[in-house]
Amino acid sequence: MQEVSMSAGVPQTNRPAGTDFKQQRLSAWQPVLTPFCVISTFVGIAAVLIPLGIMLLTTSLGVIEFVQRYDTSCHGLTCDVNVRLEKDMKAPVYFYYQVENFYQNHRRYMKSRSDAQLAGGSVDSPSDIADCDPMITDDDGNLLNPCGLVARSYFNDTFALTTMKGARINISEDNIAWASDVAHKFKSVNQVPAPDINTTNQHFMVWMRASPMSTFRKLWGRIDTDLRADTYILKVNNSWDVTTFKGTKSVVFSTTSFLGGRNPFLGIAYLVVGFAYLFLAIGFFVKWKGFGRVLGQLKDMASKPFEMVRPKAQVELIQTRLPMDFDGVGMVDAASPPAVGTGLGDQNASNNTKEKKVEKQSMLDDDVMRSDNFTL
């Protein structure tokens, strides 16, 4: 029962407006999921994903990458590491440092920073940089600039690359940070206290973007000349300690593609899903053609809205239960003799025969309807 209320003497109801949208009379379409429709859809998806996966995987595998661990070779503040490149690398070659077992994604670590201070704001008291806890002041009680765990753990190793003959190969350190970081997020103009770390250094900006994984790479520079397959000398200023957290340090030389660095996951994922759809389509096709049943046709339902098809085995079962002659549509009682004459007795016999036919037909239909093996 709909609610009726009175407002200024005019009855108000909760019935929605009589539009097609509010009364849910809009035209609608629902697909009929026939075997042909489903199989065609699965084959179409596979036809898109498999070639795309092959293309993505081939592109990713075409990226040349070389990783060299150096923390085990450096035992002092400076060291030389021999780097052997197995393949020629076309410019630009991106130079990364890689750290393992360092959890930049720890919640306390990520929150321990002051974006206002990094953007050039002055700090007058520890309360102004409370977010940097526990790295707010130094051992002497002086305010830190920059403060926080992220800034104070800044990766400060430096690198220089030369050939075996001593010729220096330039590693450009410009334009390695995000343009928005350079333009807006990191400034240190007339700050109080003065920063003891150059926060406008792009290496620092790159470090301040925390990684979600414990093993990560960060861009250190870019080599704008081709590197031939050869042995090079990497001169390392080894200042960043990894022994305290049982980590490792490596350098990475890598070319790129339009997808970025070497990462075959996306191509493999597309191939796995594409072949899964293809195998399902093949399985459905075999099931449909080899073990399928007769489906109802929508075009026939207008003239025959409910036509029951009795399986042969079902008919035979019913015939064994009912002693009758059955032709699939009507039935004749074999035990009832044909009516003779035109008298009242003959008429009663005819009526009895019809009643028996109707009764047996009803029993037959009940048995058929109780079975699940029928098709509309």
Side-chain angles (χ1 to χ4, degrees):
M1 180 181 295
Q2 64 180 6
E3 298 181 6
V4 179
S5 61
M6 300 295 293
S7 175
V10 179
Q12 302 290 328
T13 67
N14 292 330
R15 179 179 180 180
T19 62
D20 289 344
F21 175 74
K22 292 189 175 181
Q23 294 298 330
Q24 299 184 12
R25 294 192 298 262
L26 292 175
S27 300
W29 176 82
Q30 183 176 356
V32 179
L33 299 179
T34 62
F36 177 79
C37 178
V38 173
I39 293 172
S40 300
T41 302
F42 278 29
V43 170
I45 295 174
V48 173
L49 293 183
I50 292 176
L52 189 58
I54 293 174
M55 184 269 293
L56 294 176
L57 184 60
T58 303
T59 302
S60 178
L61 294 179
V63 173
I64 302 174
E65 181 179 284
F66 177 78
V67 182
Q68 174 71 54
R69 182 176 176 179
Y70 70 90
D71 59 292
T72 55
S73 304
C74 291
H75 303 288
L77 292 179
T78 60
C79 63
D80 292 345
V81 179
N82 289 336
V83 177
R84 173 65 183 175
L85 300 182
E86 301 294 338
K87 297 180 179 180
D88 294 344
M89 304 180 75
K90 297 291 186 180
V93 179
Y94 292 90
F95 182 78
Y96 303 85
Y97 60 87
Q98 177 175 298
V99 178
E100 296 183 14
N101 201 39
F102 189 87
Y103 291 83
Q104 276 196 315
N105 58 355
H106 193 283
R107 180 172 178 271
R108 189 180 186 188
Y109 181 89
M110 295 183 66
K111 289 186 63 178
S112 181
R113 58 186 293 165
S114 173
D115 290 324
Q117 184 190 56
L118 294 172
S122 296
V123 177
D124 298 326
S125 65
S127 61
D128 295 336
I129 51 175
D131 290 341
C132 289
D133 183 68
M135 300 294 293
I136 298 177
T137 60
D138 59 16
D139 296 337
D140 298 328
N142 300 317
L143 294 176
L144 293 173
N145 185 12
C147 65
L149 291 171
V150 186
R152 305 315 296 189
S153 60
Y154 163 52
F155 184 90
N156 57 354
D157 283 5
T158 59
F159 308 94
L161 186 67
T162 65
T163 64
M164 294 297 292
K165 297 180 179 180
R168 185 180 180 88
I169 299 175
N170 181 54
I171 303 178
S172 174
E173 303 174 36
D174 298 328
N175 300 321
I176 60 174
W178 288 25
S180 59
D181 291 351
V182 176
H184 306 291
K185 293 187 176 182
F186 296 91
K187 299 181 183 298
S188 60
V189 181
N190 299 324
Q191 277 189 300
V192 178
D196 58 351
I197 297 176
N198 183 9
T199 57
T200 60
N201 185 343
Q202 293 197 26
H203 293 300
F204 179 81
M205 299 178 190
V206 171
W207 176 259
M208 292 300 292
R209 285 201 168 268
S211 169
M213 309 297 291
S214 61
T215 298
F216 55 86
R217 296 175 181 179
K218 292 184 181 291
L219 184 62
W220 196 88
R222 183 183 65 256
I223 302 173
D224 294 322
T225 57
D226 296 343
L227 295 180
R228 299 181 59 84
D230 200 351
T231 301
Y232 298 86
I233 298 176
L234 183 68
K235 298 182 178 296
V236 181
N237 182 9
N238 187 32
S239 303
W240 203 69
D241 186 26
V242 295
T243 59
T244 55
F245 58 90
K246 298 180 180 179
T248 66
K249 296 188 296 184
S250 306
V251 291
V252 181
F253 297 83
S254 176
T255 59
T256 60
S257 67
F258 71 94
L259 295 174
R262 186 186 183 93
N263 186 358
F265 172 78
L266 187 61
I268 294 174
Y270 273 59
L271 287 175
V272 169
V273 177
F275 278 110
Y277 272 103
L278 180 61
F279 292 147
L280 285 174
I282 294 174
F284 288 161
F285 181 81
V286 173
K287 177 68 169 63
W288 177 35
K289 291 300 183 181
F291 309 95
R293 62 184 180 87
V294 179
L295 299 178
Q297 299 295 324
L298 294 178
K299 63 182 181 179
D300 297 334
M301 294 186 68
S303 59
K304 302 176 181 178
F306 187 83
E307 181 176 351
M308 186 178 300
V309 180
R310 298 180 176 90
K312 181 179 179 181
Q314 190 179 64
V315 173
E316 293 176 352
L317 174 63
I318 296 172
Q319 286 178 337
T320 60
R321 295 179 58 185
L322 299 177
M324 66 184 77
D325 292 333
F326 178 71
D327 61 2
V329 178
M331 61 189 67
V332 178
D333 191 348
S336 299
V340 179
T342 58
L344 182 60
D346 295 338
Q347 184 177 358
N348 291 336
S350 176
N351 291 338
N352 291 336
T353 301
K354 292 180 180 179
E355 291 177 358
K356 289 181 181 180
K357 290 181 178 180
V358 171
E359 180 181 358
K360 291 178 180 180
Q361 179 67 54
S362 177
M363 294 174 63
L364 176 61
D365 291 341
D366 290 342
D367 286 339
V368 173
M369 292 298 292
R370 280 194 295 267
S371 174
D372 292 331
N373 298 319
F374 69 93
T375 305
L376 297 181

